[in-house]
Amino acid sequence: MNSADIRPRFRVAPGGRIGGELTVPGDKSISHRALMLGGIAAGDTEINGFLEGADCLSTLRALQGLGVRIERPAPERVVVHGAGAAALIGSSAPLDMGNAGTAMRLFMGLLAPQPFDSVLIGDESLMRRPMERVAGPLRQMGARIETREGRPPVHIRGTPTLHGIDFRMPVASAQVKSALLLAGLGASGRTRISEPAPTRDHTERMLGAFGVAVHREGSSVSLEGGQPLRGTQVQVPADFSSAAFFIVAALLAAEDGLLLRNVGVNPTRTGLLEMLKRMGADIRLQPHAGVAAEPTADIEVRKSRLRGIHVPRELVPLAIDEFPIFFIAAALAEGETTVRGAEELRVKETDRLAAMSSGLSVLGVDNHLLDDGLWIRGGSGFGGGTVDSHGDHRIAMAFAIAALAARAPVEILDVANVATSFPGFPELARAAGLAIETL
Ligand code: S3P
């Protein structure tokens, strides 16, 4: 860092105790989808528990740019006045997705069958991320889409004559699956997608709530084009991916336990719980009764002695966003931990394998960066030091939690993007017992 660097950073004093009860903000994946489906539905959609993070606000503004009327009677309450997909109008300005990969990829599917043209752009990180994984199959459906060497800007020439396809995804990606389902709604015939491993199924669940018939069979999901969506009520649970930071914080430092309230525990998201339990973690779920589209639970976590594991490959897509904080847990577990089959982490907001490996090395943890994962020898704690988050929200929050087990202060650079998924993180972390300040 040079003295002219004015990007915000965290400084976290070592040690501290974690405890009490917390409710983390709403789920990012579900908030994006509720806005988008509300935007193409006929009638009002009321969203409660909405994540007021920068990523979801990019989706909200993009929908407004496409002519959708949206009201926000409270920060976590949004009313989308949908008038059906046919009521969308083209935006003369490029639609700016900010840092949000989910927004860009899902909008590609949503906009491809529209009769107007669109241009999608994003911030420096998003402009480097791969978009052909969505553009390719959309072209097979008849879409006219151009990327710049596979990356944004994405130019979509509206083509209201798309046709359904049968597509086997080469990567396990809920964003690709969701984009193709959205395009399939505006296409003729049936769109069928099979996945190489289960990925988050929020789109499928929510389409059902909007009145769309979605068929699931084994590893594939399909729908008929032309089905109308009816506005509905969406209750967004607290984001498991945000709760994950406090689950690990509590494993490190909650002698008397920590209670996380009302967390989304969709089984396609909670691979981290299985991984941590295999390491010896004391985590208990109190599931909520009811028939909501998304299951929720209170999660109670106590300080635990962890041991290293080899993470089964099938758990990787079910914990894809939790690896930064999982690697912190692994660094404190006795013995070796290995993660393989996680090459997707290299194309997230930053290369999360490289960023975590170098940050762990700064804090004195023995580790090896692998092509598709990371090997860590844990158990000797953390030294202090300055770690670069590379502008990645989850890397920043993971290293902030690491300070609980450090011998000296940990400073984390370039943390403004924490607000993309977890607005208020430093304040909530302080309330839970972390000695964190933003500089
Ligand atoms: C998401 C899917 C995942 C995940 C991302 C959110 C979604 O991405 O990493 O944070 O909401 O569909 P991939 O589809 O690229 O795995």
Side-chain angles (χ1 to χ4, degrees):
M1 186 185 65
N2 61 49
S3 54
D5 193 339
I6 51 156
R7 290 173 297 180
R9 55 193 205 278
F10 290 149
R11 181 179 295 152
V12 196
R17 274 177 78 126
I18 292 291
E21 291 187 17
L22 290 183
T23 306
V24 301
D27 188 281
K28 179 154 76 79
S29 291
I30 297 173
S31 295
H32 279 302
R33 287 160 170 81
L35 287 171
M36 289 188 197
L37 297 191
I40 57 170
D44 291 354
T45 292
E46 187 181 320
I47 308 167
N48 284 294
F50 175 72
L51 171 65
E52 205 196 3
D55 276 11
C56 299
L57 294 176
S58 295
T59 289
L60 190 149
R61 277 191 290 269
L63 285 168
Q64 288 174 324
L66 294 163
V68 180
R69 201 159 62 79
I70 301 179
E71 287 178 285
R72 292 187 60 201
E76 296 179 1
R77 191 157 160 249
V78 179
V79 182
V80 185
H81 300 286
L88 297 184
I89 50 168
S91 162
S92 51
L95 298 167
D96 189 350
M97 304 293 147
N99 194 242
T102 306
M104 185 168 287
R105 295 194 177 120
L106 269 58
F107 267 118
M108 287 170 71
L110 190 142
L111 292 170
Q114 285 292 326
F116 51 78
D117 298 351
S118 306
V119 179
L120 307 181
I121 57 169
D123 72 2
E124 213 187 308
S125 149
L126 186 52
M127 295 302 272
R128 288 194 298 262
R129 296 183 65 187
M131 295 299 147
E132 279 299 317
R133 51 181 58 198
V134 179
L138 285 177
R139 280 187 209 109
Q140 292 179 29
M141 298 175 80
R144 292 177 301 162
I145 296 195
E146 284 151 41
T147 61
R148 193 178 56 204
E149 289 169 13
R151 299 181 163 71
V154 178
H155 288 263
I156 302 168
R157 278 189 287 149
T159 311
T161 51
L162 299 196
H163 51 84
I165 53 167
D166 205 325
F167 184 68
R168 182 173 290 276
M169 294 197 297
V171 279
S173 163
Q175 292 178 354
V176 175
K177 175 178 63 174
S178 302
L180 300 181
L181 288 173
L182 290 174
L185 281 174
S188 60
R190 171 168 292 254
T191 296
R192 184 162 173 272
I193 302 142
S194 358
E195 36 187 13
T199 65
R200 63 190 70 193
D201 64 357
H202 304 306
T203 304
E204 297 90 304
R205 286 174 186 253
M206 199 181 288
L207 280 169
F210 278 82
V212 173
V214 177
H215 299 282
R216 305 204 218 191
E217 209 187 323
S219 60
S220 60
V221 52
S222 61
L223 54 73
E224 286 296 329
Q227 298 186 63
L229 281 74
R230 277 190 317 270
T232 187
Q233 304 249 339
V234 179
Q235 181 64 49
V236 182
D239 197 325
F240 181 83
S241 298
S242 296
F245 298 101
F246 290 101
I247 291 173
V248 172
L251 290 174
L252 305 186
E255 303 275 1
D256 300 322
L258 174 76
L259 188 67
L260 291 151
R261 291 221 178 266
N262 198 33
V263 184
V265 288
N266 178 322
T268 59
R269 291 286 297 280
T270 52
L272 176 75
L273 294 181
E274 177 62 27
M275 284 150 55
L276 293 173
K277 282 182 183 167
R278 287 175 185 224
M279 295 171 101
D282 181 352
I283 302 177
R284 294 165 211 208
L285 261 61
Q286 297 149 21
H288 296 168
V291 287
E294 294 283 346
T296 54
D298 292 345
I299 302 181
E300 198 183 345
V301 189
R302 266 167 210 285
K303 183 169 176 174
S304 307
R305 189 185 264 283
L306 303 178
R307 36 180 199 279
I309 57 164
H310 296 289
V311 173
R313 279 173 187 255
E314 64 272 18
L315 287 179
V316 170
L318 307 179
I320 195 68
D321 289 341
E322 283 62 75
F323 282 98
I325 190 63
F326 174 75
F327 292 141
I328 297 298
L332 295 165
E334 268 323 306
E336 298 176 24
T337 291
T338 319
V339 175
R340 304 299 306 251
E343 58 278 2
E344 275 295 298
L345 295 178
R346 291 198 178 267
V347 291
K348 295 295 179 190
E349 285 79 333
T350 189
D351 177 341
R352 287 186 172 159
L353 293 177
M356 286 306 299
S357 172
S358 66
L360 288 171
S361 298
V362 167
L363 300 186
V365 176
D366 189 11
N367 75 91
H368 287 299
L369 180 57
L370 310 169
D371 283 351
D372 62 344
L374 208 55
W375 172 91
I376 296 172
R377 187 195 306 283
S380 42
F382 295 117
T386 300
V387 171
D388 192 347
S389 78
H390 298 273
D392 185 315
H393 53 136
R394 301 201 198 280
I395 304 284
M397 290 185 276
F399 281 111
I401 299 301
L404 286 166
R407 293 179 290 275
V410 178
E411 213 163 282
I412 302 128
L413 307 180
D414 197 4
V415 301
N417 280 336
V418 165
T420 59
S421 68
F422 202 149
F425 169 76
E427 293 77 14
L428 207 63
R430 238 187 335 267
L434 194 72
I436 182 170
E437 45 177 345
T438 308
L439 306 173

